[in-house]
Amino acid sequence: MKKRLSLFLLFLNLLPLGGVRAQSARPNILFIFADDLRADALGCYGNPYVSTPTLDSLARQGTSFANAYILGGDQGAVCAPSRAMLLSGQSFFRVSDKLNGVLTLPMHLRQHGYTTFLTGKWHNEREAVAAGFDRAQNVMLGGMANHFEVPVRDLKPDGTFTEPEKKGFSTDIFTNTALDFLDQHDGQKPFFAYVPYTVPHDPRSPLPEYLRQYDEQGVPLPPNFMPLHPFSFGNSMAIRDEQLAAFPRTPDVIRAQTAAYYALITHLDQSVNLLIRKLKQKGLDKNTLIIFTSDNGLGLGSHGLLGKQNVYEHSVRVPLILAGPGIPKNKTTDAFAYLFDLFPTLCQYARLPVPGGLDGQGLWPVIQGKAKGVRTELMTAYMQFQRSVRDARYKLIRYPAIDHTLLFDLRQDPYELRNLAEKPEHAPRVQALLALLQTEQKKYGDTLPLTAEKVLPRHWDYRTIERKPDPWQPQELIERYFKD
């Protein structure tokens, strides 16, 4: 009898991955996605000023990547290609920001027995929502909104959406919707709950109770604060993100905006706490993987920049934390990771087949401690104006449009302030990294020459920029930052 029982149990373990019992044994996945959160804006990533106790605790309960990056973007709205890469596992040179008709992570999980759920920001073609999600409630279609007036919609059975409604502050809407989903989940199938927030993306207008936690003039400036970026990238410096404060940048304005940015992050941190508490209340915490990351970083005064339309570390490096069953606790790895590595990583974690044709590489061996990394170099890119490549120590940035090169020793100069490219002793390293950059370009489908046919001047004059507020800025921010 015991022998027959053992054989029966063995048979169950050998069922196809689509089998009912295999589905019920698979982990749930709660994917929490921040918007414009630079890696060093969390306590667990070395920031002593911002208050993020929940995420700091999550990092202690799991594994953090110190070198997680986005590949970059082909447009000013970097978040759109970043999200497309995350969900498709492919570089933006192949998918751009379009997901309609593309195999996505939620589609793949759904095909293998997962209940898939979305609430929050969706910036990658509305038709792709119905293809990937069983349920989508209180979804913001687009790139940004006033946090107090965010228009949200529900997915209808026919794949279209309800008319937009404004229901409150964005962070609270998405958190409460995710809490309702967790309350209603019947446990018959594992779930993939994708919760992409719209904070701390601007407008930098947090709820007052969170802003009161920060001294607007006591917030430290970034170590690489500059009043102005020292040269043009070749494209206009008048892009929307850079107009959110006057030129030249002043310490008072950067401190005030950083305080509001931190307040939005603290609100998000407390919302994550509510989600984790709900998992515990429902008994779901023992079989749920929690992932926290961001679509890109942000300048916020670093190098005289406010936005993410650049390849400096503050804009392309993001936090990445994984915690849950099977994830080593209190571990930090220096292994290079892209956001698009998460598609194959989650497949490995959930014991699902990894689709072919992905640019991402599974990080599960790194997380388990069986491999030091999946790559030894890492490229980032922004439109046709910027390319970079880095190894374990050095980072080269190439500006094709202005025929300019920077080289930084990130070990000695993590804030990218001392250009070594023109020092004779570094000439061989510059050439080696340029060759490596070209190799990486081919790998991800990037055909941009590293010197433009027509080289543009590096000089730019901030006095020629006429600043105008976008339609999503609340009146109080217009009065404060756009009035002379």
Side-chain angles (χ1 to χ4, degrees):
M1 180 68 183
K2 288 183 179 180
K3 183 177 181 180
R4 280 186 291 174
L5 178 59
S6 297
L7 289 172
F8 178 66
L9 292 174
L10 176 61
F11 169 75
L12 291 179
N13 287 329
L14 293 175
L15 280 174
L17 289 173
V20 174
R21 288 186 179 271
Q23 290 170 359
S24 62
R26 290 204 178 101
N28 304 308
I29 301 169
L30 173 60
F31 198 116
I32 304 168
F33 208 25
D35 194 346
D36 280 9
L37 176 63
R38 48 189 284 171
D40 62 3
L42 297 179
C44 52
Y45 276 79
N47 189 317
Y49 195 85
V50 68
S51 176
T52 53
T54 303
L55 294 169
D56 299 347
S57 175
L58 190 68
R60 290 191 296 271
Q61 294 301 311
T63 295
S64 302
F65 281 77
N67 289 310
Y69 288 81
I70 65 167
L71 178 62
D74 57 358
Q75 57 185 277
V78 174
C79 62
S82 179
R83 290 158 190 264
M85 288 187 285
L86 165 77
L87 293 166
S88 70
Q90 299 184 61
S91 83
F92 72 82
F93 300 107
R94 306 192 212 282
V95 298
S96 185
D97 61 338
K98 309 302 183 185
L99 288 180
N100 192 24
V102 175
L103 176 67
T104 63
L105 173 62
M107 287 172 63
H108 190 62
L109 294 175
R110 189 182 192 183
Q111 290 167 5
H112 287 84
Y114 273 77
T115 293
T116 54
F117 171 79
L118 161 69
T119 184
K121 172 177 173 176
W122 186 265
H123 203 191
N124 301 106
E125 297 185 308
R126 64 179 64 190
E127 297 86 357
V129 175
F133 294 96
D134 296 299
R135 293 173 56 190
Q137 295 177 291
N138 290 324
V139 177
M140 188 199 81
L141 298 172
M144 64 174 292
N146 182 333
H147 294 301
F148 291 89
E149 299 180 352
V150 57
V152 293
R153 309 164 186 253
D154 293 345
L155 180 68
K156 297 192 294 185
D158 64 358
T160 63
F161 282 87
T162 59
E163 291 300 310
E165 296 183 64
K166 297 176 181 179
K167 301 180 179 181
F169 195 86
S170 65
T171 306
D172 295 332
I173 294 171
F174 305 141
T175 302
N176 290 333
T177 308
L179 291 172
D180 288 343
F181 168 77
L182 295 176
D183 257 333
Q184 297 164 13
H185 181 65
D186 60 13
Q188 294 299 308
K189 298 196 296 184
F191 66 75
F192 172 71
Y194 179 54
V195 189
Y197 286 92
T198 55
V199 294
H201 194 296
D202 71 275
R204 294 191 249 283
S205 53
L207 290 172
E209 57 264 39
Y210 294 98
L211 186 58
R212 283 194 293 268
Q213 298 182 35
Y214 293 94
D215 175 6
E216 287 195 354
Q217 295 310 312
V219 176
L221 292 173
N224 50 9
F225 167 77
M226 297 178 187
L228 294 169
H229 193 267
F231 56 85
S232 166
F233 299 130
N235 58 312
S236 172
M237 302 298 280
I239 195 164
R240 187 205 72 88
D241 290 26
E242 298 302 338
Q243 295 192 37
L244 295 176
F247 304 98
R249 318 304 190 187
T250 65
D252 285 351
V253 167
I254 296 302
R255 285 192 176 100
Q257 291 203 13
T258 302
Y261 182 72
Y262 286 172
L264 291 167
I265 294 169
T266 296
H267 187 180
L268 172 60
D269 183 87
Q270 294 193 12
S271 298
V272 174
N273 182 52
L274 294 176
L275 295 176
I276 293 174
R277 287 172 55 189
K278 179 61 69 175
L279 290 175
K280 293 178 179 178
Q281 290 171 4
K282 297 287 291 184
L284 297 168
D285 56 310
K286 299 297 188 295
N287 194 35
T288 299
L289 172 67
I290 302 173
I291 303 171
F292 180 87
T293 187
S294 174
D295 58 357
N296 50 254
L298 203 65
L300 208 65
S302 294
H303 291 99
L305 303 168
L306 294 181
K308 60 262 189 179
Q309 296 80 14
N310 60 85
V311 296
Y312 289 118
E313 293 289 290
H314 51 69
S315 293
V316 293
R317 193 168 72 95
V318 295
L320 175 57
I321 304 168
L322 298 92
I327 305 296
K329 294 186 177 183
N330 203 26
K331 175 182 176 179
T332 299
T333 174
D334 291 328
F336 290 146
Y338 283 119
L339 285 189
F340 57 55
D341 291 333
L342 291 173
F343 189 153
T345 301
L346 292 180
C347 291
Q348 292 173 333
Y349 181 79
R351 296 179 292 109
L352 299 176
V354 178
L358 303 186
D359 288 310
Q361 299 185 54
L363 301 169
W364 185 232
V366 177
I367 295 169
Q368 290 180 301
K370 296 180 179 179
K372 291 185 178 180
V374 295
R375 57 179 62 85
T376 56
E377 58 283 316
L378 190 138
M379 181 184 99
T380 58
Y382 175 67
M383 296 185 70
Q384 70 269 35
F385 301 107
Q386 303 174 49
R387 294 293 183 272
S388 83
V389 69
R390 64 159 297 186
D391 58 23
R393 179 169 181 176
Y394 290 95
K395 176 177 177 180
L396 178 138
I397 303 179
R398 179 65 184 165
Y399 300 94
I402 60 172
D403 190 19
H404 188 47
T405 301
L406 302 179
L407 175 68
F408 300 110
D409 180 348
L410 293 180
R411 191 175 300 169
Q412 301 295 327
D413 180 26
Y415 298 106
E416 300 167 289
L417 292 170
R418 297 186 295 275
N419 181 21
L420 306 175
E422 297 178 358
K423 294 185 178 295
E425 63 269 28
H426 287 285
R429 179 167 287 110
V430 168
Q431 292 305 312
L433 286 172
L434 283 171
L436 180 61
L437 176 55
Q438 291 175 314
T439 299
E440 292 298 290
Q441 286 183 282
K442 292 177 182 177
K443 183 186 299 183
Y444 296 114
D446 178 17
T447 60
L448 181 74
L450 293 180
T451 302
E453 289 187 9
K454 181 181 179 180
V455 175
L456 301 174
R458 301 179 194 177
H459 175 74
W460 70 287
D461 186 351
Y462 70 88
R463 293 169 296 184
T464 65
I465 296 176
E466 182 181 357
R467 295 175 59 242
K468 296 180 180 179
D470 59 67
W472 302 285
Q473 300 298 316
Q475 188 60 36
E476 63 184 81
L477 295 187
I478 294 175
E479 294 292 332
R480 184 168 188 180
Y481 295 120
F482 288 90
K483 300 293 185 181
D484 294 331

